[in-house]
Amino acid sequence: MSSQQRVVVYLGASQPVHVTHMRLVRALLDEGHDRVFVFLLRWRPERFGTSADAATGQLRRWLATLPAEDVARLDLQVVQHDHEAGPRMRAALGAGANPEVEVCFSQKYSGETERINRDWLPIYTSEFPQAKPRFLTDEIDPGAAACGTAKFVEALKRYKDAQGTPEVAATTAELDKWRPVQESSAGWTTYIDGLFQGAHGEPFYVAEEKGQLEEAFFLIRRRCGCLIARGGIRSCPSALMNSSRTR
């Protein structure tokens, strides 16, 4: 009789992607899981200017450099809502699969067991009744305070602000610490430039600018809704949407 399949899943909205995402995948693969699921959650406005689809595309390029047997165990997807993760896993594993499932959570939720069991774990236990939570170490957690995306974004902002100043060398070196070993220096520069220029969704923004962007985004949504109701337009023009998110 074959042993029970071991499956692990991570779901998060931590983008843009960086070295910690690769550390996470490498660590989960090294633990010997038969399947590793990584779901990136869509966010509007885009998460720090990066869409989940663009982040997934970038992560795929880095992951493609891993050994073929590791890539075969990976399943990287974008989800619109977190409750899609369980059914997506069921579809990938098959109707008759009964694997051991570990659901990854950040250490910052370690004191919220009731919330995990009530709100988040049922996403997976509805499909896999034996699914259990586990907590990531900060070193491999893209959502952690120490090594997560918020710190990466701070490094991006310092680098951007230092252009044309004596601090540019120091901020460049700091930012390079977030580069996965799978990425070349030239490729990293192209990736960072793309983040600033909107090549990965929208132009880069930091947390304090998020409220302004959300306000503009939803204002345009309301205006377009009024126009559609009046028969003025059939859909919301993408150019108008883009201009609202980049002001």
CSV table of all heavy atoms in Angstrom, one decimal, residues 188-210:
chain,number,residue,atom,x,y,z
A,188,TRP,N,18.0,41.5,-12.1
A,188,TRP,CA,17.5,42.2,-11.0
A,188,TRP,C,17.2,43.7,-11.2
A,188,TRP,O,16.2,44.2,-10.8
A,188,TRP,CB,18.4,42.0,-9.8
A,188,TRP,CG,17.9,42.5,-8.5
A,188,TRP,CD1,18.5,43.5,-7.7
A,188,TRP,CD2,16.8,42.0,-7.7
A,188,TRP,NE1,17.8,43.7,-6.5
A,188,TRP,CE2,16.8,42.8,-6.5
A,188,TRP,CE3,15.9,41.1,-7.9
A,188,TRP,CZ2,15.8,42.6,-5.5
A,188,TRP,CZ3,14.9,40.9,-6.9
A,188,TRP,CH2,14.9,41.6,-5.8
A,189,THR,N,18.2,44.3,-11.9
A,189,THR,CA,18.0,45.7,-12.2
A,189,THR,C,16.8,45.9,-13.1
A,189,THR,O,16.0,46.9,-12.9
A,189,THR,CB,19.3,46.3,-12.9
A,189,THR,OG1,20.4,46.1,-12.0
A,189,THR,CG2,19.1,47.7,-13.3
A,190,THR,N,16.7,45.1,-14.1
A,190,THR,CA,15.5,45.2,-15.0
A,190,THR,C,14.2,45.0,-14.2
A,190,THR,O,13.2,45.7,-14.4
A,190,THR,CB,15.6,44.1,-16.1
A,190,THR,OG1,16.8,44.3,-16.8
A,190,THR,CG2,14.4,44.2,-17.0
A,191,TYR,N,14.2,44.0,-13.3
A,191,TYR,CA,13.0,43.8,-12.5
A,191,TYR,C,12.7,45.0,-11.6
A,191,TYR,O,11.5,45.4,-11.6
A,191,TYR,CB,13.3,42.6,-11.6
A,191,TYR,CG,12.2,42.3,-10.6
A,191,TYR,CD1,10.9,42.0,-11.0
A,191,TYR,CD2,12.5,42.2,-9.2
A,191,TYR,CE1,9.9,41.7,-10.0
A,191,TYR,CE2,11.5,41.9,-8.2
A,191,TYR,CZ,10.2,41.7,-8.7
A,191,TYR,OH,9.2,41.4,-7.7
A,192,ILE,N,13.7,45.6,-10.9
A,192,ILE,CA,13.4,46.7,-10.1
A,192,ILE,C,13.0,47.9,-10.9
A,192,ILE,O,12.0,48.6,-10.5
A,192,ILE,CB,14.7,47.1,-9.3
A,192,ILE,CG1,15.1,45.9,-8.4
A,192,ILE,CG2,14.5,48.4,-8.5
A,192,ILE,CD1,14.1,45.5,-7.4
A,193,ASP,N,13.6,48.2,-12.0
A,193,ASP,CA,13.2,49.3,-12.9
A,193,ASP,C,11.7,49.1,-13.3
A,193,ASP,O,11.0,50.1,-13.4
A,193,ASP,CB,14.1,49.4,-14.1
A,193,ASP,CG,15.5,49.9,-13.7
A,193,ASP,OD1,15.6,50.5,-12.6
A,193,ASP,OD2,16.4,49.8,-14.6
A,194,GLY,N,11.4,47.8,-13.6
A,194,GLY,CA,10.0,47.6,-14.0
A,194,GLY,C,9.0,47.8,-12.9
A,194,GLY,O,7.9,48.3,-13.2
A,195,LEU,N,9.4,47.6,-11.7
A,195,LEU,CA,8.5,47.9,-10.6
A,195,LEU,C,8.2,49.4,-10.5
A,195,LEU,O,7.0,49.8,-10.3
A,195,LEU,CB,9.1,47.4,-9.2
A,195,LEU,CG,9.2,45.9,-9.0
A,195,LEU,CD1,9.9,45.6,-7.7
A,195,LEU,CD2,7.9,45.2,-9.0
A,196,PHE,N,9.2,50.2,-10.7
A,196,PHE,CA,9.0,51.6,-10.6
A,196,PHE,C,8.2,52.2,-11.7
A,196,PHE,O,7.5,53.1,-11.6
A,196,PHE,CB,10.4,52.3,-10.5
A,196,PHE,CG,11.2,52.0,-9.2
A,196,PHE,CD1,12.6,51.9,-9.3
A,196,PHE,CD2,10.5,52.0,-8.0
A,196,PHE,CE1,13.3,51.6,-8.1
A,196,PHE,CE2,11.2,51.7,-6.9
A,196,PHE,CZ,12.6,51.5,-6.9
A,197,GLN,N,8.4,51.5,-12.9
A,197,GLN,CA,7.7,52.1,-14.1
A,197,GLN,C,6.4,51.5,-14.4
A,197,GLN,O,5.7,51.9,-15.4
A,197,GLN,CB,8.7,51.8,-15.3
A,197,GLN,CG,10.0,52.5,-15.2
A,197,GLN,CD,11.0,52.0,-16.2
A,197,GLN,OE1,10.7,51.3,-17.1
A,197,GLN,NE2,12.3,52.4,-16.0
A,198,GLY,N,5.9,50.6,-13.6
A,198,GLY,CA,4.6,50.0,-13.7
A,198,GLY,C,4.5,48.8,-14.7
A,198,GLY,O,3.4,48.4,-15.1
A,199,ALA,N,5.7,48.2,-14.9
A,199,ALA,CA,5.7,47.0,-15.8
A,199,ALA,C,5.0,45.8,-15.2
A,199,ALA,O,4.7,44.8,-15.9
A,199,ALA,CB,7.1,46.7,-16.2
A,200,HIS,N,4.8,45.8,-13.9
A,200,HIS,CA,4.3,44.7,-13.2
A,200,HIS,C,2.8,44.9,-12.7
A,200,HIS,O,2.4,44.2,-11.8
A,200,HIS,CB,5.2,44.3,-12.0
A,200,HIS,CG,6.6,43.9,-12.5
A,200,HIS,ND1,6.9,42.7,-12.8
A,200,HIS,CD2,7.6,44.7,-12.7
A,200,HIS,CE1,8.2,42.7,-13.1
A,200,HIS,NE2,8.7,43.9,-13.1
A,201,GLY,N,2.2,45.9,-13.2
A,201,GLY,CA,0.8,46.2,-12.9
A,201,GLY,C,0.5,47.7,-12.9
A,201,GLY,O,-0.1,48.2,-13.8
A,202,GLU,N,1.0,48.4,-11.8
A,202,GLU,CA,0.9,49.8,-11.7
A,202,GLU,C,2.3,50.3,-11.2
A,202,GLU,O,3.1,49.6,-10.7
A,202,GLU,CB,-0.2,50.2,-10.7
A,202,GLU,CG,-1.5,49.4,-10.8
A,202,GLU,CD,-2.2,49.8,-12.0
A,202,GLU,OE1,-1.9,50.8,-12.7
A,202,GLU,OE2,-3.2,49.0,-12.4
A,203,PRO,N,2.5,51.6,-11.4
A,203,PRO,CA,3.7,52.2,-10.8
A,203,PRO,C,3.8,52.0,-9.3
A,203,PRO,O,2.8,52.0,-8.6
A,203,PRO,CB,3.7,53.7,-11.2
A,203,PRO,CG,2.8,53.7,-12.4
A,203,PRO,CD,1.8,52.6,-12.2
A,204,PHE,N,5.0,51.7,-8.9
A,204,PHE,CA,5.3,51.4,-7.5
A,204,PHE,C,4.8,52.5,-6.5
A,204,PHE,O,4.8,53.7,-6.8
A,204,PHE,CB,6.8,51.3,-7.3
A,204,PHE,CG,7.3,51.2,-5.9
A,204,PHE,CD1,7.2,50.1,-5.1
A,204,PHE,CD2,7.9,52.3,-5.2
A,204,PHE,CE1,7.6,50.0,-3.8
A,204,PHE,CE2,8.3,52.3,-3.9
A,204,PHE,CZ,8.2,51.1,-3.2
A,205,TYR,N,4.2,52.1,-5.4
A,205,TYR,CA,3.8,53.1,-4.4
A,205,TYR,C,4.1,52.4,-3.0
A,205,TYR,O,4.2,51.2,-2.9
A,205,TYR,CB,2.3,53.4,-4.5
A,205,TYR,CG,1.4,52.2,-4.2
A,205,TYR,CD1,0.9,51.9,-2.9
A,205,TYR,CD2,0.9,51.4,-5.3
A,205,TYR,CE1,0.1,50.9,-2.7
A,205,TYR,CE2,0.0,50.4,-5.0
A,205,TYR,CZ,-0.4,50.1,-3.8
A,205,TYR,OH,-1.2,49.0,-3.5
A,206,VAL,N,4.1,53.2,-2.0
A,206,VAL,CA,4.3,52.7,-0.6
A,206,VAL,C,3.1,52.8,0.2
A,206,VAL,O,2.0,53.3,-0.3
A,206,VAL,CB,5.5,53.5,0.1
A,206,VAL,CG1,6.8,53.3,-0.6
A,206,VAL,CG2,5.1,55.0,0.1
A,207,ALA,N,3.1,52.2,1.4
A,207,ALA,CA,1.9,52.1,2.2
A,207,ALA,C,1.1,53.4,2.4
A,207,ALA,O,-0.1,53.4,2.4
A,207,ALA,CB,2.3,51.4,3.5
A,208,GLU,N,1.9,54.5,2.7
A,208,GLU,CA,1.2,55.7,3.0
A,208,GLU,C,0.5,56.3,1.8
A,208,GLU,O,-0.4,57.2,2.0
A,208,GLU,CB,2.2,56.7,3.6
A,208,GLU,CG,3.4,57.0,2.8
A,208,GLU,CD,4.6,56.1,3.2
A,208,GLU,OE1,4.3,55.0,3.7
A,208,GLU,OE2,5.7,56.6,3.0
A,209,GLU,N,0.8,55.8,0.6
A,209,GLU,CA,0.1,56.3,-0.6
A,209,GLU,C,-1.1,55.4,-1.0
A,209,GLU,O,-1.9,55.8,-1.8
A,209,GLU,CB,1.1,56.3,-1.8
A,209,GLU,CG,2.2,57.2,-1.6
A,209,GLU,CD,3.4,57.0,-2.6
A,209,GLU,OE1,3.6,55.9,-3.0
A,209,GLU,OE2,4.0,58.0,-2.9
A,210,LYS,N,-1.2,54.3,-0.3
A,210,LYS,CA,-2.3,53.3,-0.6
A,210,LYS,C,-3.7,53.9,-0.5
A,210,LYS,O,-4.6,53.7,-1.3
A,210,LYS,CB,-2.1,52.1,0.2
A,210,LYS,CG,-3.1,51.0,-0.1
A,210,LYS,CD,-2.8,49.7,0.7
A,210,LYS,CE,-3.8,48.6,0.4
A,210,LYS,NZ,-5.1,48.9,1.1
